[in-house]
Amino acid sequence: TSSSSVPIAAVDYLSIMEANRVKSVQVFGRKKTATAVAYCKAGRGLIKLNGTPIELVRPEILRLKVFEPILLLGQDKFAIVDIRIRVKGGGYTSQVYAIRQAISKALVAYYQKFVDEQSKREIKDKLAAYDKSLLVADPRRCEPKKYGGKGARSRYQKSYR
């Protein structure tokens, strides 16, 4: 009798499944109420946003903001991965900030899991030195309105007659 209860065929199947498994990570970026989910897998440098190329981000003024992590780290770091991003919630600006955070976090997570710790540390340090919000979400949220005024803090003007 053999000491292991797993049949040989099952072990072969498991090793085949391990070899065929796609190298991928899924991370999210947030800003206010906008959430961007980035699915990063081994590929050839494709970056898509809601199914369209990232070059077509609107408005054009904020397009450079989306490209910041790519320009900062260089195209060669993104050449080994494909990133697909879904974004919803918030406004234009919040969505753009959520997207750039998702791209940055996806690359860091991919390099940590599938490449090596040294290059991951390099990427992370470079991104953090440029802008910490590329890796860490901004915790600020909109404060709720209260009674006795038109907003969260402002009060209606006081009158004596």
Side-chain angles (χ1 to χ4, degrees), residues 4-66:
S4 70
S5 60
V6 179
I8 295 165
V11 173
D12 289 344
Y13 178 72
L14 288 173
S15 63
I16 290 166
M17 286 301 290
E18 189 67 36
N20 289 346
R21 200 171 72 208
V22 178
K23 291 180 175 181
S24 68
V25 289
Q26 191 171 13
V27 293
F28 62 87
R30 282 209 176 111
K31 174 77 170 154
K32 293 184 180 178
T33 55
T35 306
V37 180
Y39 177 71
C40 181
K41 61 176 185 174
R44 50 187 180 81
L46 220 76
I47 303 176
K48 295 263 184 157
L49 173 61
N50 290 343
T52 62
I54 200 166
E55 291 84 32
L56 304 177
V57 171
R58 304 202 71 95
E60 287 101 49
I61 297 160
L62 293 169
R63 196 170 292 164
L64 201 63
K65 275 284 179 203
V66 174

Side-chain angles (χ1 to χ4, degrees), residues 80-93:
I80 61 165
V81 293
D82 283 350
I83 303 175
R84 291 193 178 345
I85 308 151
R86 299 187 315 271
V87 66
K88 57 174 153 188
Y92 296 124
T93 308

Side-chain angles (χ1 to χ4, degrees), residues 111-112 115-125:
Y111 270 73
Q112 181 177 12
V115 187
D116 64 330
E117 194 65 30
Q118 176 64 38
S119 53
K120 171 243 167 181
R121 170 74 34 215
E122 225 172 77
I123 290 169
K124 201 169 179 180
D125 290 343

